[in-house]
């Protein structure tokens, strides 16, 4: 591709585009999407795939036309043609590939959350500080159009001072069991509600959470041998006194029509109110043939809320939606230096601390202060 320069309306000139060498670490569902999107991006000149399962790495490499593939993550991260890394491993396995890429001076975009434990997260941040590298965390809800529009209203100050709000998300137990089987520590709070903690902290940027009071109810997941609550509700107080109600239930019946996340976000301010209905009940499909679930293999529903797939959807030969927007924005940033709104490591640490505090409060029945002590 010929190098180019461009000027974004209202912004600074962008740097000339450069060829990128991309390594995708982890060939699961999200890694597959990252790899396929990278393969189509005009600035990507080299693509490497790794997965601990060599057959999956080989299959994804064939699908994407990748230049190399391996069952050894470090081999692909260390490849001399690789200039940047996507870490799409299971949540509990983020630390090692992130740290190795940072040590080699290669920018990293890792899937949310940054880690499942505070110790792993702090270890990553220590490496980041020592290497002065570049790390962002893939909270793709930031790249959904309704939330980008919402952030713009916050930037413009149209709500005044936010005094309270709500963010809740529902999904079926079919997807929850798929996540928990992959990693039993990736509970609905740590793995899903974290998206909405991130959104609210982004909307209330500079006003961090300071206290959590939460309650949870055990049932379906506990009977199946997992420690996750079926439903969790929390009141989170922010530094200026704003209170936000967070809720998650991933225990809805397996055939519930949501294919990813049905959510609602509300912001109440002194000079305005913003209500974001993201339940996807405006586009319903019923089919006797069944509709495949994008996240859960071999699971189908007869009725589906189209558009509820968290990452987005394939349509007319391309992938559209939050994860597509987020991936392309990251590759554009690497190639041209364009600004992005990807979650920073510091923001990701606040998200992790807040979700851990929600789980601690739900277990103990007591308020939990933030930041947490490790």
């Amino acid at each position: 591709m010929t190098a180019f320069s461009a000027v974004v309306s209202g912004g600074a000139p962008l740097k000339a585009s450069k060829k990128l060498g991309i390594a995708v670490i982890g060939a699961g569902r999200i890694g597959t999407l990252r790899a396929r999107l990278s393969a189509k991006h005009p600035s990507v000149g080299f693509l490497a795939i790794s997965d601990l399962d060599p057959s999956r790495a080989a299959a994804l490499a064939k699908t994407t036309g990748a230049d190399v593939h391996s069952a050894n993550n470090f081999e692909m991260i260390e490849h001399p043609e690789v200039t940047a890394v996507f870490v799409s491993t299971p949540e509990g396995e983020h630390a090692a590939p992130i740290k190795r890429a940072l040590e080699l001076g290669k920018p990293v975009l890792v899937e949310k959350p940054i880690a499942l434990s505070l110790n792993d997260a702090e270890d990553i941040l220590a490496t980041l500080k020592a290497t002065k590298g570049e790390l962002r965390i893939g909270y793709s809800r930031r790249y959904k159009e309704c939330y980008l529009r919402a952030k713009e209203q916050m930037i413009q100050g149209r709500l005044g001072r936010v005094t309270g709000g709500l963010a809740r998300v529902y999904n079926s137990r079919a997807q929850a069991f798929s996540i928990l089987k992959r990693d039993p520590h990736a509970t609905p709070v740590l793995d899903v509600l974290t998206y909405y903690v991130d959104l609210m902290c982004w909307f209330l940027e500079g006003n961090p959470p300071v206290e959590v009071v939460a309650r949870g109810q055990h049932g379906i997941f506990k009977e199946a041998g997992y420690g996750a609550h079926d439903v969790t509700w929390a009141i989170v107080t922010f530094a200026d006194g704003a209170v936000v109600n967070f809720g998650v239930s991933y225990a809805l019946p397996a055939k519930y029509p949501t294919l990813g996340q049905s959510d609602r976000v509300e912001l109440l301010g002194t000079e305005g109110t913003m209500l974001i209905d993201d339940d996807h009940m405006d586009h319903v499909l019923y089919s006797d043939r069944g509709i495949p679930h994008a996240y859960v293999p071999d699971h189908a529903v007869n009725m589906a809320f189209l558009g509820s797939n968290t990452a987005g959807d394939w349509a007319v030969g391309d992938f559209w939606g939050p994860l597509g927007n987020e991936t392309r924005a990251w590759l554009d940033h690497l190639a041209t230096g364009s600004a992005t709104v990807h979650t920073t490591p510091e923001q990701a640490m606040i998200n992790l601390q807040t979700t851990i505090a929600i789980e601690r409060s739900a277990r103990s029945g007591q308020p939990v202060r933030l930041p947490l002590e490790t």
Side-chain angles (χ1 to χ4, degrees):
M1 176 181 174
T2 304
F4 70 93
S5 62
V7 177
V8 178
S9 177
L14 300 180
K15 298 177 182 177
S17 178
K18 61 182 179 181
K19 284 295 183 183
L20 303 174
I22 298 296
V24 177
I25 310 304
R29 174 175 171 266
I30 300 302
T32 294
L33 291 173
R34 300 286 195 201
R36 293 183 67 177
L37 289 162
S38 296
K40 295 184 67 170
H41 195 279
S43 289
V44 175
F46 182 89
L47 183 60
I49 307 292
S50 73
D51 193 279
L52 298 181
D53 180 341
S55 63
R56 290 212 304 185
L60 182 55
K62 182 177 180 180
T63 298
T64 58
D67 297 276
V68 292
H69 62 87
S70 175
N72 186 318
N73 291 341
F74 280 14
E75 182 182 353
M76 294 296 91
I77 293 169
E78 294 166 0
H79 195 287
E81 294 291 328
V82 167
T83 60
V85 178
F86 285 107
V87 174
S88 299
T89 63
E91 296 85 347
E93 300 170 15
H94 286 171
I98 292 174
K99 289 166 58 181
R100 186 62 187 136
L102 291 175
E103 288 165 356
L104 295 171
K106 301 182 181 186
V108 179
L109 180 67
V110 62
E111 312 306 335
K112 61 77 208 162
I114 187 171
L116 290 177
S117 75
L118 292 177
N119 286 338
D120 278 352
E122 290 184 344
D123 198 18
I124 291 167
L125 292 183
T127 301
L128 179 65
K129 182 178 180 180
T131 59
K132 297 181 173 59
E134 184 174 11
L135 171 65
R136 294 293 183 272
I137 294 78
Y139 280 90
S140 59
R141 303 309 275 175
R142 289 193 180 198
Y143 277 93
K144 189 164 189 178
E145 284 84 350
C146 62
Y147 297 122
L148 286 167
R149 288 193 296 268
K151 178 62 176 179
E152 181 62 22
Q153 308 318 305
M154 301 301 296
I155 291 170
Q156 298 299 329
R158 295 195 172 105
L159 270 63
R161 184 174 68 85
V162 172
T163 56
L166 172 146
R168 64 103 178 111
V169 57
Y170 297 148
N171 200 348
S172 76
R173 65 193 68 168
Q175 184 160 338
F177 278 126
S178 180
I179 297 169
L180 289 167
K181 286 175 184 175
R182 184 182 71 227
D183 190 326
H185 301 293
T187 63
V189 171
L190 291 181
D191 196 63
V192 180
L193 193 58
T194 184
Y195 278 120
Y196 300 90
V197 171
D198 179 69
L199 282 178
M200 282 298 189
C201 289
W202 187 40
F203 294 152
L204 277 64
E205 201 162 1
N207 182 19
V210 296
E211 185 184 66
V212 170
V213 178
R215 296 293 183 270
Q217 176 64 40
H218 281 298
I220 292 162
F221 299 136
K222 188 172 184 179
E223 290 171 3
Y226 298 103
H229 287 104
D230 290 2
V231 60
T232 306
W233 293 95
I235 295 174
V236 178
T237 303
F238 287 74
D240 73 346
V243 289
V244 176
N245 182 197
F246 290 95
V248 60
S249 178
Y250 259 44
L252 277 63
K255 294 290 185 176
Y256 187 76
T258 291
L259 297 177
Q261 293 179 17
S262 287
D263 51 284
R264 183 175 180 86
V265 172
E266 302 179 0
L267 289 160
L268 311 175
T270 56
E271 298 175 54
T273 301
M274 186 156 46
L275 309 177
I276 307 167
D277 184 347
D278 199 34
D279 274 318
H280 309 288
M281 295 181 185
D282 58 335
H283 195 171
V284 178
L285 171 66
Y286 183 92
S287 174
D288 286 334
R289 297 185 177 190
I291 305 150
H293 197 293
Y295 196 96
V296 186
D298 303 321
H299 178 70
V301 295
N302 292 111
M303 187 170 78
F305 298 153
L306 296 187
S308 61
N309 182 5
T310 313
D313 298 283
W314 286 99
V316 294
D318 211 340
F319 194 79
W320 308 96
L323 190 127
N325 296 341
E326 178 189 63
T327 304
R328 294 182 188 104
W330 180 245
L331 294 171
D332 290 346
H333 163 72
L334 294 174
T336 70
S338 56
T340 77
V341 296
H342 293 87
T343 301
T344 67
E346 295 76 17
Q347 292 167 333
M349 182 59 116
I350 291 173
N351 299 339
L352 179 61
Q353 291 216 6
T354 304
T355 51
I356 288 175
I358 290 171
E359 292 211 322
R360 287 183 182 179
S361 181
R363 286 195 301 268
S364 70
Q366 299 299 315
V368 175
R369 297 290 298 178
L370 294 164
L372 298 175
E373 295 182 2
T374 55

